[in-house]
Amino acid sequence: DAGVIQSPRHEVTEMGQEVTLRCKPISGHNSLFWYRQTMMRGLELLIYFNNNVPIDDSGMPEDRFSAKMPNASFSTLKIQPSEPRDSAVYFCASSLRQGVAGNTIYFGEGSWLTVV
Amino acid sequence: GESVGLHLPTLSVQEGDNSIINCAYSNSASDYFIWYKQESGKGPQFIIDIRSNMDKRQGQRVTVLLNKTVKHLSLQIAATQPGDSAVYFCAENNSGGSNYKLTFGKGTLLTVNP
């Protein structure tokens, strides 16, 4: 079975450019997460969707970040304009239903973003 | 705010030895805990979980221990293999609060020497 699919796997972009990260969750999963991982801050939840609706975006750093989930099989995380401090690995994850307990969250392989 | 932390950032063991990775948590409302394994260049992968009504849970070669009195969690890996080399994260969740939210620790790098 295909897991969570993310693209691009790696991106290097110049400061000020728009970055769009894409995610295809596991088919049938109703919950989708975007996480950011850095050495300094570890894994941080950016935004959580349930049934395509954003439930919690309190982790989104600032207005430069936006996320959408137009349908159950696709989500995007956009950074505009990008800054060097946005360099990180961005993970998309999905789970069958809301609630972590007893409900495995599956992570994608990540999108490695470098902003120069 | 409350957070999950790790005692040891790195751990080096010999192949075949047992490994113990520790984690301290401070949110007394957390009632569900997970250990994840993250190999280089990959996303975190679920290893084992435990609810707060238990103090021990065993899987295949792995055991998680929970001590709620001192808010401590550990992951024991038996007969550690080179394939176990990875970063291990503990994560906590309050199923009665924001039940979707996991708070991750910073991670411990486990290196297995052949």
Side-chain angles (χ1 to χ4, degrees):
Chain A
D1 287 342
V4 176
I5 300 173
Q6 292 187 245
S7 65
R9 287 297 317 276
H10 299 272
E11 177 150 349
V12 180
T13 190
E14 290 185 345
M15 182 174 63
Q17 296 298 305
E18 177 180 291
V19 173
T20 299
L21 308 178
R22 298 173 177 80
C23 175
K24 176 178 168 55
I26 294 173
S27 178
H29 282 194
N30 292 329
S31 288
L32 184 137
F33 310 79
W34 282 100
Y35 280 88
R36 178 172 67 176
Q37 185 176 40
T38 61
M39 287 298 294
M40 289 296 294
R41 301 173 68 91
L43 271 159
E44 303 172 283
L45 177 65
L46 298 178
I47 188 167
Y48 166 65
F49 291 87
N50 190 49
N51 291 322
N52 313 337
V53 176
I55 302 300
D56 183 351
D57 66 355
S58 61
M60 297 286 264
E62 47 198 272
D63 292 345
R64 297 185 297 106
F65 285 70
S66 62
K68 294 182 179 180
M69 191 165 186
N71 57 62
S73 59
F74 185 66
S75 177
T76 59
L77 177 67
K78 188 173 291 188
I79 308 172
Q80 166 64 21
S82 58
E83 296 182 3
R85 60 193 168 116
D86 302 331
S87 298
V89 185
Y90 292 82
F91 287 103
C92 179
S94 72
S95 65
L96 190 59
R97 59 185 184 277
Q98 179 162 336
V100 174
N103 180 31
T104 302
I105 297 176
Y106 296 87
F107 285 78
E109 302 273 83
S111 291
W112 298 65
L113 174 66
T114 302
V115 183
V116 297
Chain B
E2 294 180 294
S3 63
V4 176
L6 294 174
H7 294 305
L8 298 173
T10 62
L11 178 64
S12 184
V13 300
Q14 292 297 122
E15 182 178 357
D17 287 352
N18 296 334
S19 301
I20 299 176
I21 301 171
N22 296 302
C23 176
Y25 67 95
S26 57
N27 186 350
S28 56
S30 294
D31 59 358
Y32 180 70
F33 305 87
I34 308 173
W35 280 100
Y36 282 91
K37 173 185 181 183
Q38 186 176 19
E39 297 176 272
S40 180
K42 296 189 175 181
Q45 180 182 14
F46 173 93
I47 302 173
I48 191 167
D49 60 357
I50 189 167
R51 296 178 187 267
S52 60
N53 61 354
M54 304 172 67
D55 53 20
K56 180 179 179 178
R57 190 164 189 221
Q58 288 184 288
Q60 187 176 14
R61 283 200 308 117
V62 294
T63 300
V64 55
L65 299 178
L66 176 63
N67 185 331
K68 294 181 288 295
T69 303
V70 296
K71 296 189 181 69
H72 185 267
L73 194 68
S74 69
L75 176 70
Q76 299 178 0
I77 305 173
T80 314
Q81 303 169 358
D84 295 327
S85 294
V87 177
Y88 289 82
F89 295 93
C90 63
E92 61 174 322
N93 170 251
N94 175 7
S95 64
S98 300
N99 63 356
Y100 53 86
K101 187 171 285 189
L102 277 173
T103 301
F104 285 85
K106 288 291 191 289
T108 293
L109 173 62
L110 174 66
T111 302
V112 182
N113 302 310

XYZ file of all heavy atoms in Angstrom, chain A residues 30 32 47-56 69:
109
model
N -8.875 10.338 7.398
C -9.653 11.558 7.547
C -8.881 12.700 8.197
O -9.357 13.827 8.207
C -10.906 11.285 8.385
C -11.875 10.388 7.655
O -11.952 10.410 6.438
N -12.606 9.590 8.396
N -5.260 14.881 8.644
C -4.002 15.219 7.991
C -3.263 16.275 8.792
O -3.864 17.228 9.301
C -4.251 15.729 6.567
C -2.993 16.027 5.740
C -3.146 15.518 4.313
C -2.625 17.480 5.760
N -0.221 22.575 11.354
C -1.647 22.656 11.125
C -2.226 21.253 11.072
O -1.547 20.298 10.689
C -1.963 23.428 9.819
C -3.470 23.692 9.669
C -1.390 22.712 8.594
C -3.808 24.703 8.580
N -3.492 21.160 11.488
C -4.192 19.879 11.515
C -5.539 20.035 10.809
O -6.290 20.968 11.074
C -4.397 19.439 12.961
C -5.394 18.316 13.130
C -5.143 17.057 12.598
C -6.590 18.520 13.804
C -6.057 16.030 12.747
C -7.508 17.502 13.954
C -7.238 16.259 13.424
O -8.146 15.240 13.546
N -5.814 19.111 9.895
C -7.095 19.060 9.192
C -7.843 17.797 9.605
O -7.244 16.727 9.744
C -6.887 18.978 7.672
C -6.329 20.207 7.026
C -4.953 20.402 6.941
C -7.158 21.163 6.476
C -4.417 21.527 6.328
C -6.643 22.292 5.845
C -5.269 22.478 5.775
N -9.142 17.917 9.738
C -9.976 16.740 9.890
C -11.117 16.842 8.883
O -11.807 17.862 8.827
C -10.533 16.617 11.313
C -11.197 15.278 11.556
O -10.644 14.225 11.251
N -12.407 15.282 12.087
N -11.310 15.796 8.101
C -12.309 15.821 7.028
C -12.176 17.071 6.159
O -13.169 17.748 5.841
C -13.720 15.717 7.613
C -13.990 14.352 8.215
O -13.552 13.328 7.683
N -14.684 14.329 9.332
N -10.944 17.394 5.811
C -10.580 18.495 4.904
C -10.745 19.878 5.534
O -10.511 20.880 4.859
C -11.375 18.454 3.590
C -11.413 17.084 2.959
O -10.551 16.261 3.222
N -12.417 16.840 2.149
N -11.137 19.952 6.774
C -11.370 21.237 7.428
C -10.223 21.538 8.382
O -9.868 20.677 9.192
C -12.699 21.224 8.208
C -12.890 22.526 8.974
C -13.870 20.961 7.272
N -9.637 22.737 8.298
C -8.570 23.066 9.255
C -9.135 23.200 10.662
O -10.032 24.012 10.902
C -8.024 24.406 8.721
C -9.143 24.995 7.929
C -9.904 23.846 7.363
N -8.617 22.396 11.566
C -9.104 22.386 12.940
C -8.203 23.236 13.838
O -8.683 23.932 14.736
C -9.160 20.951 13.489
C -10.054 20.069 12.614
C -9.623 20.949 14.944
C -11.491 20.532 12.509
N -6.912 23.158 13.600
C -5.965 23.850 14.471
C -4.795 24.340 13.623
O -4.027 23.525 13.124
C -5.476 22.914 15.568
C -4.534 23.577 16.562
O -4.104 24.730 16.326
O -4.212 22.941 17.582
N -6.564 22.190 1.984
C -6.889 20.789 1.711
C -8.174 20.797 0.883
O -9.272 20.697 1.452
C -7.040 19.994 2.995
C -7.102 18.516 2.738
S -6.851 17.549 4.234
C -6.802 15.895 3.528
